[in-house]
Structure formats: structure tokens, C-alpha cells
Amino acid sequence: MELSTLDYAFIIVFFSLVLGIGVYVSKKSGKNSSEFFLSGRTMPWWLLGLSMVATTFSTDTPNLVTDIVRTNGVSGNWVWWCFLITGMLTVFVYAKLWRKSNVNTDLEFYEMRYGGKPASFLRKFRAVYLGVIFNVITMSAVTLAAIKIGSIMLGLEPWQTVVSAGLITVTFSALGGFKGVVYTDFLLFFVAMAGAIGAAYYLVNIPEVGGIEALMANENVTEKLNILPDFSNKKALITLFIIPLAVQWWSSWYPGAEPGGGGYIAQRMLAAKDENHAIGATFFFNIMHYALRPWPWILVALASIVVYPDLASIQEAFPNVTADKLGHDLAYSAMLTKLPSGLLGVVLASLVAAYMSTISTQLNWGSSYIVYDFYKQQINPNASEKRLVAVGRISTVVLMIFSAVLALLLQNALQLFDVLLAFGAGTGLIFILRWFWWRINAWSEITAMFASGIISIILKLTPVGAFLFAADTGVLPDWSEYIFIVVVTTIIWLIATFMTQPESNETLRGFYKKIQPGGPGWAKVVTEANDASVEIVRTKEKWSVPAGISAMLLGVVLIYAIMFATGYWIYGRTTQAMVLTVISIVAGLLLVKAWNKLKGNIL
């Protein structure tokens, strides 16, 4: 595939703008660690919301969605659509709590909520566990997608893609810090959206596909269109719908969809001007992430089934792709090769934008853990602000190198998605309850983290998992592996919780006084504090969580209704689309009323 002068011009201008932003903000970002990692906590909701969307607009996401659609149909996306419930809970319950905490990273929360050596260990260990190990794995999936795009669209060797894309990204990330990331995300969002929508419109109308009506009528596509799984297919119903909605959303820790908030989503909430801006940013992100953005990718994935119905057809069209990189996720990149000059340049720039946005966020977030939660805590407690920024920049480069090396060893994004879900299974409930139940302690989290990881390794990497959960053995259904990890991990951490000492009164009272979480889960602590004449309740307002959960449910209805309505408008199913549009309008009006009652209008 040959790029025209116009295509190269789009890409060069884009790279120049991104690097220019990094250089422009580098002086202010390097002033101190708060500027480098949180931009001085002055960010407005709309900019942070756009940044969250751009960050999750990664190169591996359209590949992952394409893999899911080609393998399990559109309904297969419930494995990540279910995380909307988590997102809405974060918006209406946890966003204000995170902003109240005023911590530099979400891991600093551990030594606010827990005390003593267990809390210190948990913070330092998770700084490495999440900031390095999980972060490198996540970035490697994004880089793997870039490798496949480079191979299909530009004929590049894997190392060439890694070096060229990674070098520019790590340069502006190390220079610009968080402010550089957020400012470039503003540009990247619009470039990425334009590329995704433009590609979907053009590719659905190429002669091989024949337009939207022909696509919807294609015999290979019709069985893939359902947004809900076939309820008569018990296995599909359980694995693609029931488990995600009933269990997965609250039970698993997954980057970008952490129960109770966390990771780079928490980083953006912590950088907001105030609690209202934190809420607004996360709400905007959830609308865009779940309701609107997936559909251009889904359309390209459906069109790819017509053009490349199986892996053999992809291999035939692109013989230079090595066997270890061949997978259904390649179909997205394969379809993009059919774009005309000009639009091809925009789409390539959008893919580069998606890659750079995600990687730069992961780098800044991961290095914040290394700096605040490991280096400053473990190695140099008296480090100057200049030293902390320097360590942040060095760790940014090191994380990029590790992820690039791992990306060269991986095969597909869906494989990694399953591994990350398994490693976080059973831990999510702790992240939801730790704000509202005094009895949870540091040992609860330590035990859950190790139990989930060890059980996942045994099931994923040893013959035990293959024997118990492979469908052909008949011992246990293959869909029950995730449930098994959740149940066993939950039982283990609950036992550990009640077998270990609760946190000290000083720690619990200090946390309550700062955060004011309220609710029956803290009644014992409040009562004992009152008996001891210690004042920890600073407000007499009614507990806001029930109202927050009501708003959460309305938000879930609103966004799912918009998501379904968008799909049915595209499919040409007018009656269903109109009904769902009306439902979304009603849910939106009720949500505005509930939100105003809860927090006031943030706009």
C-alpha cells in the first residue's frame, strides 16, 4: 500500500503539533511533581472528560472490538459494556470521594484508609504490581495493535513500528508530563473520532460491501448483528451477558474500569478543579465511551466479515504477516488499506493519535506510582521536587522500553484482555466496600490480590485449568472459570478480614473525618468516637449514597438506551430506535433532576 504526499502531510503536521505541545508545556510541567503528574489540580471537567475518552481510544481497542464481533457477534461486546455500571457508580458515588481525599495517586489512599506496616507494604507493592507489571502488560497490548497496523498498512517490521511510534510518544510524555498529555488528548480526541467515523462511512460503502443495507442483509453478517445474545443459546447467554452484568462489573479490577474508580481515571478526578468537575468529567467519559464511540468500529468489523470472511482470506491478502501475529483482530487494519488517499492519511493520523494518547497516559500514570508510591516512600523520602520530576521522566522511558519488548512476544489483544480480567477477578468488591465498611483492612486487599493472581496463574498456565474448565473434559463448563476465581478469592479475603485485627481507631477516625463517607458501615466507628468525645462527623447532611445509586441507575438506563438506539438507527430498525430514543430522553430528564438534587448543576 502506497501513501500519497497528502497522506504524509497529514501525519507530519499531526506529529509536529503533538511534539510542539510537549515542548511548550515542558517548562511548567517540570516545575514540581504536582504539575508533572496532576497539572496543579486546576483542570476543568470538559478537558478531563475529553482526555479520558482519548486515553481509552487506543489502537488495540478497535482491534479488540473487531476480534469480538467477528468471533461472537456484536453482543460479544457485553464483556466490556458491562463496565458501564462500574463507571456510573464512580460518577455518582466515588468521584467526589476521590477528589475529597486530595491524594497525589490513588495508591496514596492506602496509607490514609489503612495503617501500619501492612498499609505501607500494600502501597509499595501495588506501585510495582500496577505501575510496572500491569501497566507494561496494558501498554504492550496497545503496542501490539500498532505493530499489526504498521505491518498491514505500511509493511513495517515489528521493531520499526515500535521504535518509530514509541520514540515520539515517550519524548513528549517525558517532556510535557500530565499537562502535556491532557492538552494533546484534546487534539487527539477530534482526530481519532474523525478518523474512526470517516473510515466506517467509507468502508461500509465500498463495492465489496455494497452499502449499509447490503451489509445488514449479508448472510455472514445477519447472525452477528444482535446487540443482545441469543437467549436460546444457554452458553452464549451466560458467558456474553449474564456473567458480565451479574458478576464481572463489580468483581474484577480492570484498567480504566476499576470498581470504585482508580488508575488513570482516578488521576484525572484528582486533577479536577473540584468535586463537581470530577463528576462531570467521568460522566462525559462514560457517555462517549459506551454509547457512541464503539459503533464506527463495529461497522468496520461487520464489513470485514464480508471482505475477509475467515483467517485464511486475511493471510492470502497479506502474506507478509507472520503466523504468530495472525488473528481476527487484523481484519480492522486490513479494511483500512482500502481507504483512498487523504482519508487514509487522516485515519493513520487518528490511529497514531489513539496510540500516543493511551501510551502517554499509561506512562505518566505508571511513573506517578513509581515516583510517589515507591521511590519517595522506599528509597528517598527527602527527595527534592526536581529529583522527583527527573525520576518520573526516567521511569517513563524505562516503562516504554519494557512494554515494547513484551509487545514483540504477544499474538492478540483478546488473549491479553482475558488474562487481565482473570488476574483482577474477585478483588473488585473490596474497592467498592472499603470506602463504606470500616472492617475492611490492609490484609483484605493483600490477601485478595495474591489469591486472585495465584489462582489465575494455576488455572491459566498449568494443566489444572485445562482439565477443570475445558469444554471437552466435561468436568466443569468452560464459562465457569471466571466465577470460580471470583468465588474462591472472595471467600479467602473475607476469611482474612475477620481473622486479622481491624485498623486502629486513630486510622479509622482520621479517614472518616477527612472523607465523611457516612452510612451504616461506619456506624460503629462514629458511635465509639462520640462515646470517647472525639468529633469526627463534620456535616449533618443526609447520607448521599442512596441518592447517588438512584442517579447511577438512571445513568445506566440513559447510556444503554442511547447505545441501543444508535445501533438500531444504523441498522435501519426505525421503530425500535424511536422507542429507545424516547426512553433515553425520559431517563435523561429524570437524571438531570436527580443530579441537581444530589450535587447541583455542574455546568
Side-chain angles (χ1 to χ4, degrees):
M1 185 182 69
E2 295 292 330
L3 296 182
S4 69
T5 302
L6 183 60
D7 295 325
Y8 280 116
F10 276 125
I11 296 170
I12 291 170
V13 168
F14 171 75
F15 273 130
S16 301
L17 285 172
V18 169
L19 283 174
I21 292 172
V23 172
Y24 176 75
V25 302
S26 62
K27 185 175 181 180
K28 188 171 183 180
S29 294
K31 186 169 64 174
N32 57 57
S33 58
S34 178
E35 282 288 344
F36 190 79
F37 293 117
L38 293 172
S39 191
R41 304 183 194 271
T42 58
M43 289 289 178
W45 69 270
W46 57 270
L47 190 55
L48 291 172
L50 285 173
S51 178
M52 291 180 189
V53 179
T55 292
T56 52
F57 214 134
S58 59
T59 45
D60 66 318
T61 312
N63 287 19
L64 174 64
V65 170
T66 300
D67 200 341
I68 289 172
V69 171
R70 289 174 62 91
T71 304
N72 295 314
V74 174
S75 63
N77 286 287
W78 283 102
V79 297
W80 66 274
W81 281 344
C82 68
F83 287 124
L84 170 65
I85 305 173
T86 303
M88 288 292 96
L89 197 62
T90 298
V91 170
F92 294 109
V93 176
Y94 294 101
K96 65 175 183 177
L97 300 176
W98 278 113
R99 190 60 187 84
K100 275 183 179 180
S101 71
N102 208 38
V103 293
N104 290 304
T105 71
D106 57 313
L107 296 190
E108 190 177 325
F109 168 89
Y110 289 123
E111 291 191 287
M112 176 190 298
R113 173 64 176 82
Y114 312 125
K117 291 183 179 180
S120 179
F121 166 79
L122 185 59
R123 180 180 179 183
K124 294 166 188 172
F125 183 84
R126 284 187 74 84
V128 176
Y129 182 68
L130 298 180
V132 178
I133 299 173
F134 255 71
N135 199 22
V136 164
I137 291 173
T138 303
M139 288 192 295
S140 66
V142 179
T143 303
L144 172 65
I147 288 173
K148 294 192 174 190
I149 291 169
S151 174
I152 290 289
M153 300 188 70
L154 302 174
L156 297 176
E157 293 293 327
W159 70 267
Q160 293 175 315
T161 302
V162 167
V163 171
S164 57
L167 190 61
I168 294 175
T169 305
V170 77
T171 300
F172 95 82
S173 299
L175 285 174
F178 182 75
K179 182 169 288 186
V181 170
V182 174
Y183 283 5
T184 52
D185 278 348
F186 180 80
L187 169 66
L188 301 180
F189 168 82
F190 292 103
V191 173
M193 284 299 294
I197 294 171
Y201 181 81
Y202 181 86
L203 292 172
V204 165
N205 290 288
I206 60 176
E208 297 98 307
V209 178
I212 190 70
E213 292 183 3
L215 175 63
M216 297 296 112
N218 186 280
E219 61 180 1
N220 293 328
V221 172
T222 52
E223 62 181 16
K224 304 282 189 181
L225 291 176
N226 291 333
I227 301 175
L228 293 173
D230 182 1
F231 279 39
S232 65
N233 184 335
K234 181 180 177 182
K235 180 180 177 181
L237 182 64
I238 292 173
T239 57
L240 301 180
F241 192 68
I242 293 178
I243 289 178
L245 283 178
V247 180
Q248 187 175 297
W249 72 269
W250 58 263
S251 63
S252 185
W253 186 98
Y254 185 78
E258 301 87 347
Y264 53 77
I265 299 298
Q267 185 187 32
R268 278 153 179 74
M269 291 188 286
L270 293 169
K273 287 182 178 181
D274 54 38
E275 296 166 27
N276 284 348
H277 282 269
I279 293 172
T282 48
F283 185 59
F284 176 80
F285 160 68
N286 279 279
I287 291 177
M288 291 299 301
H289 183 59
Y290 294 100
L292 301 176
R293 189 177 57 179
W295 285 107
W297 301 331
I298 290 172
L299 284 173
V300 174
L302 292 171
S304 77
I305 298 173
V306 178
V307 181
Y308 304 104
D310 51 34
L311 290 180
S313 59
I314 298 176
Q315 180 72 81
E316 182 181 355
F318 303 95
N320 62 314
V321 176
T322 57
D324 66 317
K325 295 292 186 285
L326 183 65
H328 284 292
D329 55 341
L330 275 175
Y332 189 83
S333 304
M335 291 296 291
L336 297 184
T337 63
K338 299 182 176 296
L339 295 175
S341 175
L343 180 57
L344 177 61
V346 172
V347 171
L348 273 175
S350 76
L351 292 172
V352 173
Y355 172 83
M356 295 179 72
S357 175
T358 302
I359 293 295
S360 62
T361 289
Q362 296 287 151
L363 289 173
N364 187 266
W365 164 61
S367 63
S368 74
Y369 281 2
I370 294 171
V371 169
Y372 284 124
D373 303 301
F374 185 77
Y375 179 79
K376 190 174 181 180
Q377 291 294 308
Q378 184 72 24
I379 298 174
N380 190 357
N382 299 316
S384 65
E385 289 295 319
K386 185 177 181 180
R387 172 62 63 86
L388 293 178
V389 172
V391 173
R393 285 174 168 160
I394 292 170
S395 59
T396 296
V397 175
V398 172
L399 288 172
M400 185 73 241
I401 293 172
F402 283 166
S403 65
V405 171
L406 180 58
L408 297 173
L409 305 175
L410 293 173
Q411 183 171 357
N412 67 69
L414 189 56
Q415 166 191 36
L416 212 53
F417 181 83
D418 292 337
V419 170
L420 289 176
L421 275 183
F423 265 75
T427 63
L429 191 59
I430 292 178
F431 303 132
I432 292 174
L433 294 180
R434 64 188 182 181
W435 296 86
F436 299 109
W437 186 27
W438 71 274
R439 192 59 182 84
I440 287 179
N441 59 27
W443 290 110
S444 306
E445 295 212 28
I446 292 170
T447 306
M449 179 175 60
F450 280 100
S452 177
I454 292 170
I455 295 169
S456 299
I457 290 172
I458 291 173
L459 296 182
K460 293 288 186 183
L461 303 179
T462 70
V464 174
F467 173 73
L468 288 177
F469 299 102
D472 56 353
T473 66
V475 178
L476 288 171
D478 57 353
W479 52 261
S480 63
E481 180 181 87
Y482 180 83
I483 298 292
F484 179 84
I485 299 173
V486 170
V487 170
V488 175
T489 300
T490 302
I491 291 172
I492 290 173
W493 73 253
L494 281 171
I495 291 173
T497 299
F498 289 107
M499 288 185 64
T500 54
Q501 291 293 318
E503 299 299 335
S504 68
N505 285 334
E506 181 184 2
T507 298
L508 294 172
R509 291 170 184 175
F511 176 78
Y512 193 97
K513 187 172 183 179
K514 183 177 182 65
I515 304 298
Q516 299 292 292
W522 286 94
K524 183 177 184 294
V525 174
V526 173
T527 299
E528 290 182 353
N530 289 338
D531 292 342
S533 300
V534 177
E535 185 64 40
I536 63 172
V537 179
R538 292 187 286 105
T539 176
K540 299 297 182 182
E541 292 179 5
K542 186 178 179 181
W543 191 37
S544 64
V545 170
I549 292 174
S550 297
M552 176 203 81
L553 295 174
L554 287 170
V556 169
V557 172
L558 168 66
I559 294 177
Y560 278 148
I562 295 173
M563 183 185 78
F564 274 68
T566 303
Y568 286 135
W569 283 118
I570 292 170
Y571 289 176
R573 301 178 185 177
T574 308
T575 302
Q576 293 161 294
M578 290 179 66
V579 170
L580 286 161
T581 300
V582 171
I583 291 173
S584 66
I585 292 171
V586 173
L589 293 173
L590 292 174
L591 180 59
V592 169
K593 184 177 180 180
W595 192 344
N596 287 337
K597 184 178 179 181
L598 180 68
K599 286 296 295 181
N601 192 339
I602 69 162
L603 302 177

